[in-house]
Amino acid sequence: MPGPVTEESLKRKRSKASGKSLEKVSKRAKAETRDSSEEDPQAEILELENAILESKKNYNNITTLLELAQKDGNHESTQLAMVSLCRVFLRLLASGNLARRDGQSEKDIVVVQWLKKRLGDYKQIILSALGQEESASTALTLAMRVLQAEGRHMNDSDESNFPKVFLRDIVGALVRDGSEDVRQEFCEKFLGEFADVRFYTFKALKDILSRDHSTSPDEKLFDSVFDILSFFEEVPGAEDMDEFYIDAPKKKSDPVKSLNQHKKQAQEAWLALLNLEPNREQRKKVLQIMTKSIAPWFTKPELLMDFLTDSYNSGGATSLLALSGVFYLIQERNLDYPSFYRKLYSLLDANILHSKHRSRFFRLLDTFLSSTHLPAVLVASFIKRITRLCLNAPPAAIVVVIPWIYNLFKKHPLCTFMMHRVPRTPEEKEALENEGMEDPFIADEEDPMETCAIDSCLWEVVQLQSHYHPNVATIAKIISEQFTKQSYNLEDFLDHSYSSVSPIRRYSSMRNSLSRSRRPLLWSS
């Protein structure tokens, strides 16, 4: 016969039943979560991330996320895993879980070492992602965030602790495998904005180039490094030295705060790049920005002397582009280049007036011959040679040469004898009428001081006054007229092509402004 059922026994039975039902519900919920996570990678990744941050027992989930970040075929999951790992490591760095401290147990030290290795694995993943176009931008952002967190939280001392090695790895990945777009993004967001990133990037580039020079240099590396170094059109000022990506160094004497030290590092990086022995096209790229974007970084511009003189002596368009750099050294550092004008004279060949660098050349030539201390014999050689070249030059080049000659005559009056020569004796007059006269100019002479151009005349200009192009014929006549104008602004005549010369009306107006009494030109009887 059963005994009486007490209220306590009923409560126990109800609690057991409710416990079993709750256990079933939780198992069902876990199963549903597992099923949903298998269908939704994002949910699985977030679940793994949250578990890591909740307890140290779940640190092994980091390995799972690393595997997901390296999986091929699912770009979205890979990106999500990379971003999730970044959040995890940023939290761990900020909380000090990756730093060794006094009093830690041996077990804690092993955990710290294990976490550092996993952080190293993660860095390698994002570095390799910098070479993949679809993930490069995200990888750059993640890499720079990890770098910033390391610099702020992995240092126990008061001194600056910039993660130089990791930045060098980032820069190395950008110049070796990165696209032009991601390099530009790095320059705009970090290199141009923060003094510490700029300083250590210059240092990293020097190390990368020095190491590569000892093996086998490749063209892609030169072009990639050039993209980064040439980002700066001018040297940053003192006001650009106050922004730091990681906390500002506390030492006043820290080189990161010194503009002069920045210049020194940039100088070393540029020299390392030039030591890669660039090819002809790469050399031209460097020379085009030499005086504006490269030389100002050099605390010792004379270190560019070998590169510039080699380029200047190489001939052709390379010599032309090297002109401004060589002249910069002559002007700023008193470079001794005795044969400068002889080499400059040699550049006046049949191709110079057809070159795409023609305007650049005339701007420089105008500067080089502007000094009134130059010998008239030297200036006369340049005038004579370039007018001779005009006989086979395009109209767009001739309309630059004539005003340029006009300006030189105004600056060097002793050369005006070339415009007007008459026979001095009856015998000379008779010989001129019967036999003509041989031009004393020695066209093949390489030394502009020995061409006898000063004894010649500009008969070539007379030929140009009958040129088929009306604008050329009009402007050539200014040499035959009175020199009432002080000088012409060459910028009004540069940068024209054949098609742009035709519709120009400014030369027609010149005919009215200069149509005054004509005077005899050249040899006359």
Side-chain angles (χ1 to χ4, degrees), residues 224-253:
S224 301
V225 174
F226 180 82
D227 287 345
I228 294 178
L229 288 176
S230 61
F231 171 75
F232 298 96
E233 294 184 358
E234 56 185 18
V235 178
E239 66 278 2
D240 299 315
M241 304 298 294
D242 298 331
E243 291 292 330
F244 298 93
Y245 190 60
I246 298 174
D247 299 337
K250 295 181 180 179
K251 282 187 177 181
K252 289 185 178 181
S253 59

mmCIF file of all heavy atoms in Angstrom, residues 224-253:
data_model
loop_
_atom_site.group_PDB
_atom_site.id
_atom_site.type_symbol
_atom_site.label_atom_id
_atom_site.label_comp_id
_atom_site.label_asym_id
_atom_site.label_seq_id
_atom_site.Cartn_x
_atom_site.Cartn_y
_atom_site.Cartn_z
ATOM 1 N N SER A 224 58.076 50.615 -58.424
ATOM 2 C CA SER A 224 57.216 50.651 -57.232
ATOM 3 C C SER A 224 57.768 51.605 -56.178
ATOM 4 O O SER A 224 57.029 52.405 -55.593
ATOM 5 C CB SER A 224 57.076 49.245 -56.644
ATOM 6 O OG SER A 224 56.515 48.353 -57.577
ATOM 7 N N VAL A 225 59.076 51.528 -55.940
ATOM 8 C CA VAL A 225 59.695 52.417 -54.954
ATOM 9 C C VAL A 225 59.646 53.863 -55.450
ATOM 10 O O VAL A 225 59.416 54.796 -54.667
ATOM 11 C CB VAL A 225 61.151 51.981 -54.675
ATOM 12 C CG1 VAL A 225 61.846 52.984 -53.758
ATOM 13 C CG2 VAL A 225 61.179 50.593 -54.051
ATOM 14 N N PHE A 226 59.835 54.044 -56.748
ATOM 15 C CA PHE A 226 59.762 55.390 -57.321
ATOM 16 C C PHE A 226 58.369 55.989 -57.099
ATOM 17 O O PHE A 226 58.247 57.188 -56.804
ATOM 18 C CB PHE A 226 60.082 55.341 -58.816
ATOM 19 C CG PHE A 226 60.039 56.679 -59.501
ATOM 20 C CD1 PHE A 226 61.117 57.552 -59.435
ATOM 21 C CD2 PHE A 226 58.902 57.092 -60.194
ATOM 22 C CE1 PHE A 226 61.070 58.796 -60.052
ATOM 23 C CE2 PHE A 226 58.846 58.323 -60.811
ATOM 24 C CZ PHE A 226 59.933 59.182 -60.740
ATOM 25 N N ASP A 227 57.319 55.166 -57.218
ATOM 26 C CA ASP A 227 55.947 55.649 -56.984
ATOM 27 C C ASP A 227 55.805 56.231 -55.577
ATOM 28 O O ASP A 227 55.149 57.255 -55.381
ATOM 29 C CB ASP A 227 54.946 54.498 -57.158
ATOM 30 C CG ASP A 227 54.759 54.113 -58.613
ATOM 31 O OD1 ASP A 227 55.159 54.901 -59.491
ATOM 32 O OD2 ASP A 227 54.223 53.020 -58.870
ATOM 33 N N ILE A 228 56.410 55.567 -54.596
ATOM 34 C CA ILE A 228 56.281 56.021 -53.209
ATOM 35 C C ILE A 228 57.131 57.257 -52.950
ATOM 36 O O ILE A 228 56.659 58.258 -52.389
ATOM 37 C CB ILE A 228 56.667 54.884 -52.240
ATOM 38 C CG1 ILE A 228 55.651 53.739 -52.343
ATOM 39 C CG2 ILE A 228 56.742 55.392 -50.803
ATOM 40 C CD1 ILE A 228 55.961 52.541 -51.474
ATOM 41 N N LEU A 229 58.399 57.218 -53.372
ATOM 42 C CA LEU A 229 59.294 58.345 -53.099
ATOM 43 C C LEU A 229 58.879 59.602 -53.848
ATOM 44 O O LEU A 229 59.056 60.716 -53.348
ATOM 45 C CB LEU A 229 60.728 57.968 -53.477
ATOM 46 C CG LEU A 229 61.434 56.958 -52.564
ATOM 47 C CD1 LEU A 229 62.808 56.617 -53.112
ATOM 48 C CD2 LEU A 229 61.551 57.487 -51.145
ATOM 49 N N SER A 230 58.327 59.446 -55.038
ATOM 50 C CA SER A 230 57.943 60.618 -55.832
ATOM 51 C C SER A 230 56.567 61.151 -55.462
ATOM 52 O O SER A 230 56.073 62.084 -56.094
ATOM 53 C CB SER A 230 57.965 60.272 -57.330
ATOM 54 O OG SER A 230 57.046 59.232 -57.626
ATOM 55 N N PHE A 231 55.947 60.558 -54.432
ATOM 56 C CA PHE A 231 54.637 61.050 -53.987
ATOM 57 C C PHE A 231 54.726 62.498 -53.521
ATOM 58 O O PHE A 231 53.808 63.281 -53.717
ATOM 59 C CB PHE A 231 54.118 60.157 -52.855
ATOM 60 C CG PHE A 231 52.883 60.696 -52.174
ATOM 61 C CD1 PHE A 231 51.641 60.622 -52.791
ATOM 62 C CD2 PHE A 231 52.969 61.297 -50.918
ATOM 63 C CE1 PHE A 231 50.505 61.133 -52.168
ATOM 64 C CE2 PHE A 231 51.842 61.808 -50.299
ATOM 65 C CZ PHE A 231 50.605 61.719 -50.925
ATOM 66 N N PHE A 232 55.859 62.851 -52.910
ATOM 67 C CA PHE A 232 56.033 64.207 -52.395
ATOM 68 C C PHE A 232 56.520 65.121 -53.515
ATOM 69 O O PHE A 232 57.618 64.940 -54.028
ATOM 70 C CB PHE A 232 57.035 64.228 -51.241
ATOM 71 C CG PHE A 232 56.625 63.411 -50.057
ATOM 72 C CD1 PHE A 232 57.087 62.119 -49.892
ATOM 73 C CD2 PHE A 232 55.750 63.931 -49.118
ATOM 74 C CE1 PHE A 232 56.706 61.355 -48.811
ATOM 75 C CE2 PHE A 232 55.359 63.183 -48.029
ATOM 76 C CZ PHE A 232 55.833 61.891 -47.876
ATOM 77 N N GLU A 233 55.712 66.092 -53.875
ATOM 78 C CA GLU A 233 56.127 67.057 -54.889
ATOM 79 C C GLU A 233 57.095 68.077 -54.301
ATOM 80 O O GLU A 233 57.865 68.701 -55.029
ATOM 81 C CB GLU A 233 54.906 67.772 -55.476
ATOM 82 C CG GLU A 233 54.005 66.828 -56.274
ATOM 83 C CD GLU A 233 52.851 67.545 -56.923
ATOM 84 O OE1 GLU A 233 52.723 68.776 -56.718
ATOM 85 O OE2 GLU A 233 52.062 66.882 -57.619
ATOM 86 N N GLU A 234 57.047 68.227 -52.989
ATOM 87 C CA GLU A 234 57.980 69.121 -52.313
ATOM 88 C C GLU A 234 58.233 68.605 -50.902
ATOM 89 O O GLU A 234 57.476 67.776 -50.378
ATOM 90 C CB GLU A 234 57.446 70.554 -52.270
ATOM 91 C CG GLU A 234 56.088 70.682 -51.618
ATOM 92 C CD GLU A 234 55.532 72.089 -51.688
ATOM 93 O OE1 GLU A 234 56.015 72.879 -52.524
ATOM 94 O OE2 GLU A 234 54.614 72.391 -50.904
ATOM 95 N N VAL A 235 59.283 69.087 -50.291
ATOM 96 C CA VAL A 235 59.641 68.646 -48.935
ATOM 97 C C VAL A 235 58.639 69.215 -47.928
ATOM 98 O O VAL A 235 58.324 70.407 -47.972
ATOM 99 C CB VAL A 235 61.065 69.122 -48.575
ATOM 100 C CG1 VAL A 235 61.426 68.712 -47.162
ATOM 101 C CG2 VAL A 235 62.070 68.561 -49.564
ATOM 102 N N PRO A 236 58.100 68.386 -47.030
ATOM 103 C CA PRO A 236 57.183 68.900 -46.002
ATOM 104 C C PRO A 236 57.854 69.962 -45.140
ATOM 105 O O PRO A 236 59.073 69.924 -44.910
ATOM 106 C CB PRO A 236 56.836 67.650 -45.181
ATOM 107 C CG PRO A 236 57.138 66.498 -46.076
ATOM 108 C CD PRO A 236 58.271 66.932 -46.948
ATOM 109 N N GLY A 237 57.052 70.888 -44.643
ATOM 110 C CA GLY A 237 57.585 71.941 -43.792
ATOM 111 C C GLY A 237 57.540 71.556 -42.327
ATOM 112 O O GLY A 237 57.085 70.466 -41.953
ATOM 113 N N ALA A 238 58.003 72.468 -41.468
ATOM 114 C CA ALA A 238 58.035 72.207 -40.027
ATOM 115 C C ALA A 238 56.628 71.982 -39.473
ATOM 116 O O ALA A 238 56.446 71.242 -38.495
ATOM 117 C CB ALA A 238 58.696 73.377 -39.304
ATOM 118 N N GLU A 239 55.626 72.606 -40.105
ATOM 119 C CA GLU A 239 54.249 72.439 -39.623
ATOM 120 C C GLU A 239 53.699 71.044 -39.891
ATOM 121 O O GLU A 239 52.677 70.648 -39.317
ATOM 122 C CB GLU A 239 53.338 73.487 -40.273
ATOM 123 C CG GLU A 239 53.144 73.351 -41.773
ATOM 124 C CD GLU A 239 54.278 73.952 -42.594
ATOM 125 O OE1 GLU A 239 55.249 74.438 -41.968
ATOM 126 O OE2 GLU A 239 54.185 73.922 -43.833
ATOM 127 N N ASP A 240 54.375 70.275 -40.762
ATOM 128 C CA ASP A 240 53.929 68.915 -41.080
ATOM 129 C C ASP A 240 54.598 67.873 -40.197
ATOM 130 O O ASP A 240 54.443 66.674 -40.437
ATOM 131 C CB ASP A 240 54.238 68.604 -42.554
ATOM 132 C CG ASP A 240 53.524 69.543 -43.509
ATOM 133 O OD1 ASP A 240 52.324 69.787 -43.298
ATOM 134 O OD2 ASP A 240 54.165 70.041 -44.450
ATOM 135 N N MET A 241 55.325 68.303 -39.184
ATOM 136 C CA MET A 241 56.070 67.372 -38.332
ATOM 137 C C MET A 241 55.369 67.110 -37.002
ATOM 138 O O MET A 241 55.953 66.517 -36.097
ATOM 139 C CB MET A 241 57.474 67.930 -38.062
ATOM 140 C CG MET A 241 58.281 68.244 -39.313
ATOM 141 S SD MET A 241 58.601 66.795 -40.317
ATOM 142 C CE MET A 241 59.646 65.880 -39.217
ATOM 143 N N ASP A 242 54.136 67.552 -36.866
ATOM 144 C CA ASP A 242 53.444 67.442 -35.575
ATOM 145 C C ASP A 242 52.435 66.296 -35.515
ATOM 146 O O ASP A 242 51.884 66.014 -34.447
ATOM 147 C CB ASP A 242 52.711 68.758 -35.254
ATOM 148 C CG ASP A 242 53.675 69.921 -35.125
ATOM 149 O OD1 ASP A 242 54.830 69.677 -34.738
ATOM 150 O OD2 ASP A 242 53.278 71.065 -35.434
ATOM 151 N N GLU A 243 52.148 65.674 -36.644
ATOM 152 C CA GLU A 243 51.164 64.590 -36.669
ATOM 153 C C GLU A 243 51.876 63.241 -36.607
ATOM 154 O O GLU A 243 52.769 62.960 -37.410
ATOM 155 C CB GLU A 243 50.320 64.672 -37.951
ATOM 156 C CG GLU A 243 49.388 65.868 -38.009
ATOM 157 C CD GLU A 243 48.262 65.772 -36.989
ATOM 158 O OE1 GLU A 243 47.853 64.635 -36.668
ATOM 159 O OE2 GLU A 243 47.809 66.811 -36.509
ATOM 160 N N PHE A 244 51.460 62.395 -35.625
ATOM 161 C CA PHE A 244 52.091 61.089 -35.456
ATOM 162 C C PHE A 244 51.013 60.012 -35.460
ATOM 163 O O PHE A 244 49.955 60.172 -34.846
ATOM 164 C CB PHE A 244 52.883 61.034 -34.155
ATOM 165 C CG PHE A 244 54.017 62.020 -34.099
ATOM 166 C CD1 PHE A 244 53.837 63.285 -33.538
ATOM 167 C CD2 PHE A 244 55.252 61.693 -34.625
ATOM 168 C CE1 PHE A 244 54.875 64.197 -33.497
ATOM 169 C CE2 PHE A 244 56.297 62.598 -34.587
ATOM 170 C CZ PHE A 244 56.110 63.854 -34.026
ATOM 171 N N TYR A 245 51.304 58.912 -36.125
ATOM 172 C CA TYR A 245 50.351 57.798 -36.187
ATOM 173 C C TYR A 245 50.311 57.060 -34.859
ATOM 174 O O TYR A 245 49.273 56.650 -34.379
ATOM 175 C CB TYR A 245 50.754 56.854 -37.320
ATOM 176 C CG TYR A 245 49.718 55.802 -37.631
ATOM 177 C CD1 TYR A 245 48.429 56.155 -38.028
ATOM 178 C CD2 TYR A 245 50.023 54.446 -37.544
ATOM 179 C CE1 TYR A 245 47.477 55.195 -38.312
ATOM 180 C CE2 TYR A 245 49.083 53.477 -37.835
ATOM 181 C CZ TYR A 245 47.806 53.850 -38.221
ATOM 182 O OH TYR A 245 46.865 52.897 -38.510
ATOM 183 N N ILE A 246 51.478 56.886 -34.267
ATOM 184 C CA ILE A 246 51.587 56.339 -32.916
ATOM 185 C C ILE A 246 51.956 57.515 -32.017
ATOM 186 O O ILE A 246 52.365 58.563 -32.506
ATOM 187 C CB ILE A 246 52.644 55.221 -32.882
ATOM 188 C CG1 ILE A 246 52.180 54.083 -33.811
ATOM 189 C CG2 ILE A 246 52.870 54.676 -31.482
ATOM 190 C CD1 ILE A 246 53.177 52.982 -33.983
ATOM 191 N N ASP A 247 51.801 57.358 -30.723
ATOM 192 C CA ASP A 247 52.034 58.475 -29.795
ATOM 193 C C ASP A 247 53.359 59.182 -30.079
ATOM 194 O O ASP A 247 54.368 58.538 -30.387
ATOM 195 C CB ASP A 247 52.028 57.955 -28.351
ATOM 196 C CG ASP A 247 50.683 57.330 -28.002
ATOM 197 O OD1 ASP A 247 49.692 57.687 -28.662
ATOM 198 O OD2 ASP A 247 50.643 56.480 -27.099
ATOM 199 N N ALA A 248 53.347 60.498 -29.980
ATOM 200 C CA ALA A 248 54.537 61.304 -30.268
ATOM 201 C C ALA A 248 55.670 60.929 -29.326
ATOM 202 O O ALA A 248 55.450 60.705 -28.129
ATOM 203 C CB ALA A 248 54.211 62.784 -30.123
ATOM 204 N N PRO A 249 56.889 60.842 -29.824
ATOM 205 C CA PRO A 249 58.041 60.545 -28.949
ATOM 206 C C PRO A 249 58.194 61.617 -27.867
ATOM 207 O O PRO A 249 57.987 62.805 -28.122
ATOM 208 C CB PRO A 249 59.231 60.572 -29.925
ATOM 209 C CG PRO A 249 58.639 60.376 -31.279
ATOM 210 C CD PRO A 249 57.278 60.989 -31.230
ATOM 211 N N LYS A 250 58.546 61.183 -26.683
ATOM 212 C CA LYS A 250 58.666 62.121 -25.570
ATOM 213 C C LYS A 250 60.000 62.863 -25.579
ATOM 214 O O LYS A 250 60.098 63.969 -25.063
ATOM 215 C CB LYS A 250 58.479 61.378 -24.241
ATOM 216 C CG LYS A 250 57.073 60.801 -24.089
ATOM 217 C CD LYS A 250 56.895 60.093 -22.771
ATOM 218 C CE LYS A 250 55.483 59.527 -22.639
ATOM 219 N NZ LYS A 250 55.286 58.817 -21.367
ATOM 220 N N LYS A 251 61.017 62.253 -26.189
ATOM 221 C CA LYS A 251 62.326 62.909 -26.260
ATOM 222 C C LYS A 251 62.299 64.026 -27.303
ATOM 223 O O LYS A 251 61.855 63.834 -28.430
ATOM 224 C CB LYS A 251 63.402 61.891 -26.652
ATOM 225 C CG LYS A 251 63.855 60.997 -25.519
ATOM 226 C CD LYS A 251 65.033 60.151 -25.985
ATOM 227 C CE LYS A 251 65.569 59.296 -24.852
ATOM 228 N NZ LYS A 251 66.725 58.483 -25.308
ATOM 229 N N LYS A 252 62.781 65.182 -26.926
ATOM 230 C CA LYS A 252 62.846 66.294 -27.876
ATOM 231 C C LYS A 252 63.862 66.027 -28.978
ATOM 232 O O LYS A 252 63.723 66.516 -30.095
ATOM 233 C CB LYS A 252 63.213 67.582 -27.144
ATOM 234 C CG LYS A 252 62.100 68.119 -26.259
ATOM 235 C CD LYS A 252 62.488 69.461 -25.663
ATOM 236 C CE LYS A 252 61.351 70.022 -24.812
ATOM 237 N NZ LYS A 252 61.697 71.347 -24.227
ATOM 238 N N SER A 253 64.873 65.241 -28.646
ATOM 239 C CA SER A 253 65.936 64.969 -29.609
ATOM 240 C C SER A 253 65.648 63.760 -30.496
ATOM 241 O O SER A 253 66.515 63.334 -31.254
ATOM 242 C CB SER A 253 67.260 64.743 -28.870
ATOM 243 O OG SER A 253 67.138 63.650 -27.963
#
